[in-house]
Amino acid sequence: SLEGHVIVPIPRPTEVKGRWNVLNEPHMVTSNFQFWPLSQQEQRDKGTYVQNLPNYPIGKEYWSEDDIKSFIESKGFPKIDPYVDVFEPICNLLEQSIDFHNSTDSLLLTAWIMGTYLQPIFDAYPYIFLSGTRGSGKTKVLEIVSRLAFNAEMTSNSTPSAVFRVIQANSSTLLIDEGEMLSSREDSPEMRLILNAGYKRNNPVSRTNKDTHQVEWFNVFSPKMIAAINPLDQTLKSRCLQIVMVRTSNKEKGNIRINDTTVSWQSIKDSLYRYGLQCMSEVKAIVDRDEDVNSLQCRQNELWSPLLAVAKHLNLYVSSTVFDSLLTRALFQDQEEEGLDDWHKAILYVLGDIVTISRDYPIREIKLRLTKYIEDQKELERMTSRWIGAALARFGLTRGQRDENGNTYRI
């Protein structure tokens, strides 16, 4: 029996047309400590058949062969601690590198990264939508995720045709930077087809092969993360958990660069692979049976239950507040996102920047600081002092004394 299993590329010298190159050769690793190359002969000997063998690029971190051998020889002992060995290092890295606006953003992203290694047990998996202006840290988050999530692939240079095949073969975590083409229903129809269908299991999409004129079916279910300045259309947004990114005033975090020496990426990747194999059955039991994990309704339950299960599983190993924090966020996030547009959010962020004591704050001061969160000059011109005053009134704030700077609001 294969039980839980993962296909991992192992670099091997390979002769191709008389020349020797290093290629990634797919190997099978199972939770009952088997390890073998996925050659045709080995598949026949083992009585297994992998329909679409993955195709892995050279130069990326996967599960290291040394740690695989250690895992096999020790029979997985000592068992991975999902909090100490996995959650904590990833969450610390995110918090040290990114100045998040919401204190639970790092918890959400860490649980999401861990969940990409458990994808086979979920019926749906939420997309992450990183929204924010230029320079707010969206790309830095993608850089971290690209090094840690399961079989992560950036799509900047990929055609939709390649994306269809990569997801089907590799179950790749898809990372989309500068996703402005997804703001309109008319743009990028093939990529939109992948995203609309790839949120849930057993929802394949069809394409006609241009050479054979035959219909081909592709499984496009996989984790996906989108970074964009503009809002997404409602269909795609309904499949996402949104993280609002803002420009940092913390120079130390802002100057951190993500590169090969930022952390021991290989060590974290090895722990993630062990976590996926050793903890999958435990997390599945929580997904299937835990009432707290499935306490939300309809689409909100689909979006949140995988991440809540990852968080609840941590409590089997350590007393943690991660589950409670994410459940609280899940209960309130939908209401917050639907109730506020980007302009109102920008005003709230400005108030968070400038309010230190209770006093009358001039509208002019608030408007000047909006440039930090609203880059489009035309949008700024439309946010008149009258509109800002009305927005502050909608937040329940009262007008203060008019002074030499104009109208004020008491905050």
Side-chain angles (χ1 to χ4, degrees):
S1 170
L2 293 181
E3 298 188 5
H5 66 276
V6 63
I7 299 174
V8 181
I10 303 296
R12 291 283 186 264
T14 305
E15 185 178 9
V16 180
K17 295 182 179 180
R19 294 186 177 184
W20 286 91
N21 293 299
V22 175
L23 299 178
N24 277 326
E25 181 179 304
H27 283 60
M28 179 74 77
V29 187
T30 73
S31 58
N32 55 2
F33 314 112
Q34 300 179 49
F35 175 47
W36 73 85
L38 277 171
S39 64
Q40 291 184 353
Q41 184 62 49
E42 286 285 348
Q43 290 189 63
R44 283 195 294 268
D45 293 344
K46 301 288 184 181
T48 65
Y49 177 64
V50 179
Q51 184 173 8
N52 296 291
L53 276 177
N55 183 16
Y56 299 100
I58 290 290
K60 297 183 69 174
E61 290 98 353
Y62 299 96
W63 195 355
S64 67
E65 186 172 8
D66 287 343
D67 194 63
I68 293 173
K69 290 179 177 178
S70 174
F71 174 76
I72 299 299
E73 291 168 2
S74 68
K75 302 295 184 182
F77 184 83
K79 186 179 178 181
I80 199 81
D81 183 319
Y83 187 84
V84 173
D85 299 327
V86 186
F87 187 91
E88 208 168 39
I90 297 174
C91 194
N92 288 342
L93 169 64
L94 289 166
E95 291 178 349
Q96 291 164 9
S97 306
I98 310 292
D99 193 7
F100 290 110
H101 172 67
N102 188 316
S103 60
T104 61
D105 287 344
S106 57
L107 309 181
L108 171 61
L109 281 171
T110 303
W112 190 86
I113 290 169
M114 293 172 67
T116 65
Y117 288 79
L118 306 172
Q119 178 195 340
I121 68 174
F122 301 127
D123 293 326
Y125 202 74
Y127 301 163
I128 297 292
F129 173 38
L130 303 173
S131 66
T133 61
R134 290 183 178 86
S136 59
K138 301 187 301 296
T139 299
K140 186 187 284 190
V141 171
L142 288 175
E143 289 173 348
I144 293 173
V145 174
S146 72
R147 291 173 177 266
L148 295 178
F150 183 76
N151 286 356
E153 296 285 349
M154 297 285 285
T155 64
S156 50
N157 296 319
S158 302
T159 64
S161 177
V163 172
F164 276 103
R165 288 165 172 78
V166 165
I167 295 176
Q168 172 152 293
N170 298 1
S171 299
S172 295
T173 301
L174 199 66
L175 308 177
I176 303 173
D177 198 3
E178 299 185 2
E180 275 61 46
M181 78 285 193
L182 302 173
S183 298
S184 168
R185 289 179 177 272
E186 288 72 33
D187 295 334
S188 304
E190 288 192 312
M191 186 63 75
R192 188 172 302 283
L193 180 63
I194 293 171
L195 294 171
N196 287 346
Y199 159 74
K200 298 184 72 170
R201 180 177 305 285
N202 298 326
N203 193 22
V205 298
S206 63
R207 300 182 81 245
T208 301
N209 188 304
K210 294 180 180 179
D211 296 325
T212 65
H213 303 292
Q214 298 295 312
V215 174
E216 299 176 337
W217 292 91
F218 293 89
N219 171 27
V220 291
F221 174 51
S222 77
K224 299 172 182 68
M225 180 175 287
I226 304 164
I229 296 173
N230 298 334
L232 303 177
D233 79 68
Q234 287 302 311
T235 300
L236 185 52
K237 183 181 178 183
S238 70
R239 290 153 169 75
C240 297
L241 300 178
Q242 184 173 7
I243 294 178
V244 179
M245 305 293 296
V246 298
R247 285 183 176 180
T248 181
S249 57
N250 185 323
K251 290 185 178 179
E252 183 177 352
K253 289 187 177 182
N255 289 333
I256 289 177
R257 296 291 176 262
I258 306 304
N259 54 42
D260 291 345
T261 62
T262 304
V263 291
S264 176
W265 300 106
Q266 189 61 66
S267 175
I268 300 176
K269 288 285 283 192
D270 290 344
S271 295
L272 280 163
Y273 275 101
R274 286 183 177 235
Y275 165 74
L277 276 185
Q278 292 190 301
C279 298
M280 186 175 291
S281 61
E282 294 175 351
V283 179
K284 188 177 189 309
I286 293 173
V287 171
D288 292 342
R289 304 189 189 102
D290 193 286
E291 293 182 1
D292 292 336
V293 164
N294 293 287
S295 60
L296 301 172
Q297 300 297 316
C298 304
R299 178 58 63 88
Q300 283 296 91
N301 187 57
E302 280 187 346
L303 286 170
W304 281 98
S305 61
L307 307 190
L308 291 174
V310 170
K312 191 69 175 288
H313 176 252
L314 299 175
N315 291 343
L316 299 179
Y317 295 81
V318 66
S319 178
S320 163
T321 61
V322 177
F323 173 78
D324 291 337
S325 297
L326 290 184
L327 181 58
T328 300
R329 176 164 178 162
L331 290 170
F332 291 101
Q333 177 165 312
D334 188 55
Q335 178 181 346
E336 291 174 355
E337 289 180 2
E338 293 301 326
L340 294 177
D341 59 26
D342 291 340
W343 288 11
H344 286 82
K345 288 176 185 176
I347 290 177
L348 288 179
Y349 298 156
V350 169
L351 296 182
D353 291 340
I354 67 175
V355 174
T356 55
I357 60 173
S358 178
R359 66 173 175 87
D360 292 348
Y361 286 85
I363 290 178
R364 182 178 297 177
E365 180 181 359
I366 296 171
K367 185 171 183 177
L368 287 173
R369 290 178 177 261
L370 282 171
T371 57
K372 178 179 179 181
Y373 301 104
I374 303 292
E375 287 193 342
D376 191 304
Q377 188 61 38
K378 291 183 178 179
E379 287 193 18
L380 282 171
E381 291 172 359
R382 291 167 59 194
M383 297 175 74
T384 62
S385 296
R386 183 187 295 271
W387 184 90
I388 295 171
L392 294 172
R394 283 192 286 273
F395 290 140
L397 303 176
T398 57
R399 183 175 292 186
Q401 295 292 324
R402 182 180 175 87
D403 61 18
E404 67 274 9
N405 291 312
N407 289 330
T408 67
Y409 271 79
R410 188 73 178 175
I411 306 173

